[in-house]
Amino acid sequence: RDFRNTGRDELYHLAQDPAESNNLISSGEPRVRKIIESLSEKLSRRIRELEQPDQRPARPNAQGRAD
């Protein structure tokens, strides 16, 4: 996601397009739309977690217990 330049998001199938020459963002394919929605939800969730540090899930420490 390009936060500085709205409307300039990019999504590539790197295995099939390693040169990143075919931006799939505006393809309109149902599969691509689902991927975009999933990535947007994950990004939004992560941003919320970072804005509310007390709400983040505890990370396991070296002994495997939550800190």
Side-chain angles (χ1 to χ4, degrees):
R1 169 114 334 143
D2 190 336
F3 290 106
R4 293 183 184 168
N5 301 293
T6 10
R8 292 198 46 204
D9 293 340
E10 299 177 353
L11 178 67
Y12 300 97
H13 190 304
L14 295 177
Q16 294 177 1
D17 182 19
E20 298 179 1
S21 58
N22 182 25
N23 187 359
L24 300 171
I25 267 301
S26 60
S27 75
E29 292 181 37
R31 182 171 179 232
V32 172
R33 283 196 312 263
K34 285 184 181 182
I35 292 169
I36 293 168
E37 288 173 15
S38 173
L39 291 172
S40 291
E41 288 172 12
K42 289 177 183 180
L43 179 60
S44 294
R45 190 175 325 122
R46 184 65 179 141
I47 288 170
R48 285 192 305 271
E49 288 172 359
L50 292 172
E51 289 173 348
Q52 301 173 10
D54 295 341
Q55 304 300 315
R56 285 187 286 175
R59 283 192 189 167
N61 60 22
Q63 290 77 34
R65 294 186 298 261
D67 286 333

